Amino acid sequence: MSAHADNHAHDDDHGHHHKETFVTKYIFSQDHKMIAKQYLITGTIMGVIGVLMSMMMRMQIAWPEEPNVIFEALLGKWAPDGVMDADIYLALVTIHGTIMVFFVLTAGLSGTFSNLLIPLQIGARDMASGFLNMVSYWLFFLSSVIMVISLFVEAGPAAAGWTIYPPLSAIELAQGGSGMGMTLWLVSMAIFIASSLLGSLNYIVTVINLRTKGMSMTRLPLTIWCFFITAVIGVISFPVLLSAALLLIMDRSFGTSFFLSDIFIQGEVLHYQGGSPVLFEHLFWFLGHPEVYIVILPAMGLVSEIMASSSRKPIFGYRAMIASVLAIAFLSTIVWGHHMFISGMNPFLGSVFTFTTLLIAIPSAVKAFNWITTLWKGNLQLNPAMLFSIGFVSTFITGGLTGIILGDSALDINVHDTYFVVAHFHLVMGISALYGMFAGIYHWYPRMFGRMLNKNLGYIHFWVTAVCAYGVFFPMHFIGMAGLPRRYYTNSNFPLFDDTANANVIITIFALVGGVVQIIYLYNFFGSIFYGKKATQNPWKSTTLEWTAPVEHMHGNWPGEIPHVHRWAYDYSKPGHDVDFVPQNIPLKDGEEELQH
């Protein structure tokens, strides 16, 4: 099966016959390495927008009803005299969540690193279909543009929370953002899902069909296993969100009643009959929960690879890691009900979802133990990529522990829809996935741009980000347990919550510092493209195939023949060798055994 790639050994000639123009090389490129950079830079721009929104939300919660020049400058008519309008706050929550979950984390991790690493690490000339790959990126770009355009709609952007529950999202009269803003949100997401599905199918076919000679599934780096399973989860669950979006468009524009029933507006009964908003919740969360694994699995793969390389020893429990990824993929599709414990579901069904949710903690714990054991007694190279990887394990464990509380139907009732939930999923999915993405960028930047990032700026970026991330989300658990509801634009009307005001100011200060320090990273990232130290072919002394390709990007990845694979991906510090790493394309010595943990 893996010999299929040999058919492509001589395909690389076609790239050299015609001169590439600026447009074919940088814009409508079909080269996976260029498409990865396009995803990364688009995701970075969206990330800046998303982080700006969260900083505005935090300033509003810390200092409600106080004039703020930033609001006046950025929000215009939505902040008369610098005081944020109540309606725009929920719109900020909505677009911030949508941008960060879909456009930054899904695209920044899957789009960037699946594209960059799958062909290079399995020994392929390119993706199975370069054209589909290009179409996938441009659909993503189009959906990003539409999402940003929705911010400038006269009546305001979508404002039903990032989960867009009906009836707020289904009835145009419900509020300002329920009109054109919501329509653009749905169109943008439909295009995004098309992009995601095209990309996922491409990744799956490439991994199954285009592996080089000797690259069996058990010799694949864990990065490729994670990208592969992520793509499978995406193909299974994204169509369900598309169906929910299409039915919602039907309810909004064509008079159907899938999600609506018995609606009154200003005493007047509307004609909708027989629908159920809970049906929408089921459809949304059937994607929504696999989505968190679509976001976190690529980060797990990147972290596994970086930890083995930077601790100079084989990853601990390679096969257990693969098994846990497969278990997560299966279980992720049967836990969505834990988001709906207070939606009036049957208590017995709640207990079933509690059981499956607690089960998924087992493969996650296996991975956490294996990462810690990989670090144990390793020769640790504490470069920025390694620090972000260790930070990933830390936030994944601390964020995951609170998931045990939220996954229990009895305990969840007390903290549902409070800041406790915000703290939990931002740590376990938001911050962890961002750390995985940063780790991947610091590690594979030389492979992408042929230059090194500045290490000292990387250290500043990591330590300030790490302190601020915990500074923001650790106190949130406590104000959540005190009962503070999320998504309220001010809590000053409730004397009950006066005690949380100081905590909110502290959280906001950490959030602002953490947001501003990303400027150092952006300077490092964009500056190093032009002025960074030139990279060697294998700067981290890693064993995987992408470091056997020349530093200069070329169509087809390798000049001449594709390297063949003779060993697994983690031969670090192997006895009997002069150096502490043996690349996968080096044949076994006489009498040398292949390791398979």
Side-chain angles (χ1 to χ4, degrees):
M1 177 163 134
S2 56
H4 292 188
D6 276 3
N7 307 337
H8 293 258
H10 304 291
D11 287 358
D12 59 320
D13 297 337
H14 69 270
H16 302 292
H17 289 322
H18 59 87
K19 185 88 179 74
E20 284 194 304
T21 63
F22 179 84
V23 172
T24 56
K25 184 172 183 187
Y26 292 105
I27 301 176
F28 295 110
S29 172
Q30 297 189 20
D31 184 350
H32 70 99
K33 301 180 289 297
M34 184 55 66
I35 293 172
K37 291 187 215 175
Q38 290 175 322
Y39 265 112
L40 182 56
I41 289 170
T42 312
T44 302
I45 294 165
M46 295 299 279
V48 170
I49 298 170
V51 168
L52 274 174
M53 289 181 166
S54 60
M55 289 163 82
M56 285 196 284
M57 281 147 46
R58 283 308 326 168
M59 287 189 282
Q60 166 63 18
I61 293 168
W63 303 289
E65 285 138 31
E66 283 183 28
N68 186 320
V69 287
I70 298 174
F71 293 168
E72 199 162 11
L74 292 178
L75 297 175
K77 69 169 186 176
W78 299 108
D81 303 323
V83 179
M84 188 186 287
D85 186 74
D87 288 340
I88 202 67
Y89 181 80
L90 191 55
L92 288 175
V93 173
T94 304
I95 308 295
H96 162 77
T98 309
I99 283 179
M100 297 309 275
V101 171
F102 295 110
F103 294 87
V104 178
L105 298 178
T106 306
L109 280 157
S110 255
T112 301
F113 291 104
S114 298
N115 266 311
L116 178 72
L117 295 178
I118 287 176
L120 281 166
Q121 288 194 337
I122 67 174
R125 292 282 178 211
D126 206 314
M127 283 289 177
S129 168
F131 178 74
L132 271 190
N133 209 11
M134 178 186 79
V135 172
S136 167
Y137 168 72
W138 281 103
L139 286 175
F140 165 68
F141 181 80
L142 178 63
S143 69
S144 303
V145 168
I146 293 173
M147 190 59 74
V148 172
I149 286 173
S150 80
L151 297 174
F152 300 98
V153 169
E154 179 73 21
W162 80 276
T163 54
I164 57 160
Y165 286 176
L168 268 188
S169 59
I171 296 173
E172 300 208 357
L173 299 170
Q175 56 179 354
S178 298
M180 183 51 125
M182 192 69 236
T183 303
L184 288 173
W185 192 100
L186 288 164
V187 170
S188 170
M189 284 313 300
I191 296 170
F192 175 86
I193 292 165
S195 152
S196 183
L197 287 173
L198 287 178
S200 295
L201 291 169
N202 217 352
Y203 306 149
I204 291 167
V205 172
T206 307
V207 172
I208 290 175
N209 282 344
L210 296 186
R211 303 194 306 283
T212 186
K213 191 169 195 277
M215 181 62 88
S216 62
M217 292 298 273
T218 48
R219 282 178 175 170
L220 287 174
L222 286 172
T223 35
I224 304 299
W225 269 104
C226 288
F227 298 147
F228 176 60
I229 300 303
T230 300
V232 172
I233 300 174
V235 167
I236 291 167
S237 56
F238 264 119
V240 182
L241 183 65
L242 183 60
S243 68
L246 289 176
L247 295 180
L248 195 51
I249 289 170
M250 296 276 193
D251 273 13
R252 290 171 54 79
S253 305
F254 301 106
T256 57
S257 302
F258 291 107
F259 306 131
L260 296 168
S261 186
D262 305 323
I263 305 281
F264 294 83
I265 290 188
Q266 293 171 341
E268 187 185 335
V269 63
L270 301 189
H271 65 275
Y272 299 107
Q273 211 59 48
S276 165
V278 176
L279 169 62
F280 179 87
E281 291 189 37
H282 280 292
L283 292 174
F284 181 90
W285 287 115
F286 189 82
L287 159 95
H289 202 79
E291 168 65 22
V292 306
Y293 293 101
I294 291 170
V295 161
I296 207 76
L297 278 178
M300 289 174 162
L302 299 173
V303 162
S304 305
E305 185 62 41
I306 292 163
M307 280 200 169
S309 175
S310 298
S311 57
R312 313 310 295 163
K313 53 184 280 205
I315 191 82
F316 185 87
Y318 173 77
R319 287 173 185 247
M321 287 295 229
I322 296 171
S324 63
V325 172
L326 294 169
I328 284 173
F330 169 66
L331 289 170
S332 74
T333 58
I334 52 170
V335 296
W336 78 91
H338 64 219
H339 298 267
M340 302 170 56
F341 285 143
I342 64 163
S343 67
M345 67 158 55
N346 184 319
F348 174 72
L349 188 60
S351 66
V352 172
F353 279 122
T354 298
F355 176 66
T356 56
T357 302
L358 297 182
L359 270 186
I360 209 166
I362 297 169
S364 304
V366 167
K367 295 186 94 56
F369 281 120
N370 284 358
W371 286 318
I372 293 167
T373 323
T374 301
L375 295 175
W376 178 248
K377 293 191 174 177
N379 174 15
L380 304 185
Q381 320 288 310
L382 292 173
N383 47 47
M386 181 64 152
L387 289 175
F388 273 112
S389 300
I390 296 168
F392 169 92
V393 178
S394 166
T395 54
F396 185 71
I397 293 172
T398 45
L401 286 173
T402 54
I404 296 173
I405 295 165
L406 293 168
D408 188 306
S409 52
L411 298 176
D412 173 71
I413 292 168
N414 303 297
V415 285
H416 190 91
D417 253 339
T418 66
Y419 271 91
F420 192 86
V421 178
V422 179
H424 158 71
F425 79 79
H426 276 84
L427 272 181
V428 81
M429 171 179 131
I431 299 297
S432 298
L434 272 180
Y435 281 1
M437 188 164 101
F438 285 139
I441 290 166
Y442 280 100
H443 191 77
W444 277 283
Y445 191 90
R447 187 61 280 183
M448 274 192 270
F449 295 101
R451 292 177 183 269
M452 305 295 284
L453 283 165
N454 182 312
K455 201 174 179 182
N456 291 333
L457 291 180
Y459 287 139
I460 297 170
H461 178 215
F462 169 74
W463 284 111
V464 181
T465 304
V467 170
C468 289
Y470 271 133
V472 169
F473 296 114
F474 203 77
M476 265 193 202
H477 291 93
F478 298 104
I479 59 175
M481 285 192 285
L484 192 69
R486 62 186 184 150
R487 296 185 180 171
Y488 283 22
Y489 80 106
T490 173
N491 304 298
S492 50
N493 296 336
F494 308 103
L496 174 67
F497 299 133
D498 287 350
D499 293 345
T500 65
N502 290 340
N504 266 323
V505 172
I506 292 167
I507 290 171
T508 297
I509 291 166
F510 275 119
L512 295 175
V513 174
V516 169
V517 83
Q518 304 312 312
I519 294 171
I520 294 175
Y521 157 75
L522 291 172
Y523 167 76
N524 197 1
F525 182 91
F526 288 107
S528 298
I529 294 176
F530 305 104
Y531 307 113
K533 194 177 85 182
K534 281 203 159 47
T536 54
Q537 186 175 1
N538 188 355
W540 314 117
K541 298 189 165 40
S542 294
T543 57
T544 41
L545 289 183
E546 77 270 31
W547 305 106
T548 63
V551 178
E552 290 76 32
H553 283 185
M554 52 173 293
H555 197 69
N557 295 339
W558 289 271
E561 205 177 339
I562 296 178
H564 292 174
V565 169
H566 302 278
R567 55 182 73 237
W568 76 322
Y570 299 101
D571 270 343
Y572 292 102
S573 306
K574 192 172 187 184
H577 286 272
D578 299 335
V579 285
D580 67 351
F581 72 106
V582 191
Q584 284 188 279
N585 60 335
I586 305 291
L588 294 169
K589 293 179 179 176
D590 288 342
E592 182 185 356
E593 282 185 34
E594 184 180 1
L595 291 175
Q596 282 290 4
H597 285 292

